[in-house]
Amino acid sequence: MKLDRKDILKALATITIAGEGKNMVESGAIANVITFGDEVVVDLVLHTPAMHIKKRAEDDIKKTILELISKDVKIKVNTKVEIADKPEIKGKSIPGIKNIIAVASGKGGVGKSTVTANLAVTLTKMGFSVGILDADIYGPSMPIMFDVENEKPVSILVDGKSKMKPVESYEVKILSIGFFTAPSQAVIWRGPMASKALNQMIFDADWGELDFMLIDLPPGTGDIHLSIVQSLPITGAVVVSTPQAVALADAKKGVSMFLSEAINVPVLGIIENMAYFTPEELPENKYYIFGKEGAKNLSEDLGVPFLGEIPIVQSIREAGDYGRPAAMQVASAVEHVFDEVTRNVVREVVARNENLPATEAVKITTMAGCSTAK
């Protein structure tokens, strides 16, 4: 039996790779066809690592040759997967916003929203203009933490277009899905609906000029996180964790998500929350309830900066519940702790903007109150 290479290529031109419009020959998926007597060797090049795509392509090649050329031919398919370099996700910038920081945690209940709120008010005390996007669609906390549960964003005209005006509290501009639902109402949405709501709060709002936008992300590594990194040029991410092993395992996944090739967002560092407990009557004592320096050790293992530790203090919890972030307690130990952590965050943002390629032309133009960046 004599096999003609041209006939085989003509037969293969009748099939396509799943998800692609061009046939296998035209698209270049068939790199080569070699015949040896009654044997055909087909070199196949795919641009997706998906196993079901690979198997279907190989099966289609074998079936087509057997049907259109000869049922007695022996077929061998050599498959090579070549994945094109993924472009860096840059997102769409928001005019006037200089730095966008994602505050994340792999696990829920580690105090990520509390840390975000206190970072925000500390930044305003340093002289920065700050906004918070509460991206925790299913568990929004910012309306409670800033005592604006009953507020509603108003609509204003900006350049002839209707925009949402963020709610402002303690000089921080805030948008949250919590402003659009009743306190007792559960948000029962699938991923696409949540992503659409986020995009509206991001791009249909009049944020004005901001030095920092903090994004309070939900726990985990899911739809919301992908929507955010695809929509916005994130300056960097801050990961919050408590010291115990269960929380650290998830924090490690959170860091891995941001540093992955597909997302490629710089990790500014890790904050250890609930690091230790000091009784008021024994100010020199430290009790490591959840373990000692777990997040600090994790940061060293992962090679990312350690931004500081925040102790378990009753007033931090109470302040969040009453809607007045604890960092506003002037001349207190809590204020000092958040000052130090926030300065470290700003220092890492400055270093990131000076040493890494910018996702935007990102520069901090005012460093009021931040001696670490001088």
Side-chain angles (χ1 to χ4, degrees):
M1 176 175 57
K2 182 173 176 60
L3 298 172
D4 191 322
R5 182 175 181 274
K6 291 181 180 178
D7 290 340
I8 296 170
L9 287 171
K10 187 177 179 180
L12 295 177
T14 64
I15 53 178
T16 61
I17 303 290
E20 297 183 7
K22 296 179 180 179
N23 67 63
M24 286 189 177
V25 177
E26 186 181 0
S27 68
I30 303 299
N32 197 15
V33 173
I34 304 172
T35 60
F36 300 97
D38 63 349
E39 183 179 357
V40 175
V41 179
V42 179
D43 291 334
L44 175 67
V45 177
L46 298 178
H47 298 293
T48 173
M51 290 301 297
H52 68 283
I53 300 291
K54 175 178 178 288
K55 186 176 187 307
R56 178 175 167 180
E58 292 173 351
D59 289 346
D60 286 348
I61 288 171
K62 292 175 182 178
K63 180 180 177 183
T64 300
I65 293 175
L66 290 173
E67 288 181 353
L68 300 183
I69 303 299
S70 171
K71 63 181 180 180
D72 298 321
V73 67
K74 298 174 183 176
I75 306 164
K76 182 179 180 182
V77 181
N78 297 323
T79 305
K80 182 180 180 182
V81 178
E82 293 182 352
I83 303 176
D85 291 338
K86 295 182 180 179
E88 184 177 351
I89 299 173
K90 292 183 179 296
K92 179 182 175 184
S93 63
I94 306 177
I97 298 181
K98 298 183 179 69
N99 298 278
I100 302 175
I101 298 176
V103 184
S105 68
K107 193 170 190 64
V110 298
K112 167 186 51 60
S113 296
T114 299
V115 170
T116 303
N118 283 284
L119 284 176
V121 296
T122 305
L123 285 167
T124 62
K125 290 195 299 178
M126 290 177 174
F128 296 110
S129 53
V130 183
I132 292 180
L133 173 65
D134 188 354
D136 196 345
I137 295 292
Y138 305 108
S141 304
M142 291 305 154
I144 295 174
M145 292 190 170
F146 281 86
D147 194 23
V148 286
E149 281 183 278
N150 298 318
E151 299 289 332
K152 302 291 180 188
V154 297
S155 178
I156 59 173
L157 281 178
V158 179
D159 298 328
K161 295 181 179 179
S162 179
K163 296 274 190 178
M164 282 184 287
K165 183 179 180 181
V167 171
E168 193 163 332
S169 178
Y170 309 126
E171 301 182 42
V172 178
K173 295 178 180 179
I174 308 160
L175 273 181
S176 168
I177 199 67
F179 293 137
F180 305 98
T181 60
S184 60
Q185 180 183 350
V187 178
I188 310 171
W189 288 348
R190 292 188 185 275
M193 289 182 67
S195 298
K196 185 177 179 181
L198 266 180
N199 274 328
Q200 287 181 317
M201 288 195 291
I202 294 169
F203 297 112
D204 293 343
D206 178 31
W207 288 100
E209 298 285 331
L210 294 180
D211 293 309
F212 291 94
M213 173 187 274
L214 304 183
I215 302 179
D216 185 30
L217 290 171
T221 55
D223 277 350
I224 300 300
H225 305 75
L226 292 175
S227 295
I228 288 292
V229 298
Q230 288 175 333
S231 299
L232 292 170
I234 305 296
T235 305
V238 170
V239 176
V240 180
S241 180
T242 45
Q244 74 269 39
V246 172
L248 294 171
D250 290 336
K252 188 174 183 178
K253 294 173 186 175
V255 172
S256 175
M257 174 189 70
F258 286 113
L259 295 181
S260 68
E261 290 184 12
I263 292 178
N264 195 22
V265 168
V267 175
L268 301 174
I270 298 176
I271 295 174
E272 183 170 275
N273 194 28
M274 307 183 203
Y276 57 85
F277 172 66
T278 297
E280 190 173 348
E281 64 275 13
L282 297 170
E284 301 302 318
N285 289 22
K286 290 184 178 181
Y287 298 95
Y288 297 92
I289 298 173
F290 296 118
K292 186 176 181 179
E293 298 183 343
K296 183 178 182 179
N297 294 333
L298 177 64
S299 69
E300 292 174 358
D301 291 343
L302 298 178
V304 298
F306 181 64
L307 299 173
E309 54 185 21
I310 300 168
I312 301 173
V313 179
Q314 184 175 338
S315 64
I316 296 178
R317 191 274 303 166
E318 290 175 340
D321 288 348
Y322 290 131
R324 184 175 173 84
M328 299 177 67
Q329 298 169 9
V330 179
S332 67
V334 170
E335 182 191 38
H336 174 73
V337 165
F338 281 111
D339 277 352
E340 184 178 352
V341 170
T342 305
R343 288 175 189 276
N344 290 338
V345 171
V346 175
R347 183 197 65 219
E348 293 302 326
V349 171
V350 173
R352 175 256 179 274
N353 289 341
E354 289 178 349
N355 300 317
L356 293 177
T359 50
E360 276 277 304
V362 188
K363 294 291 180 185
I364 295 177
T365 56
T366 173
M367 294 307 301
C370 187
S371 60
T372 60
K374 289 182 180 178

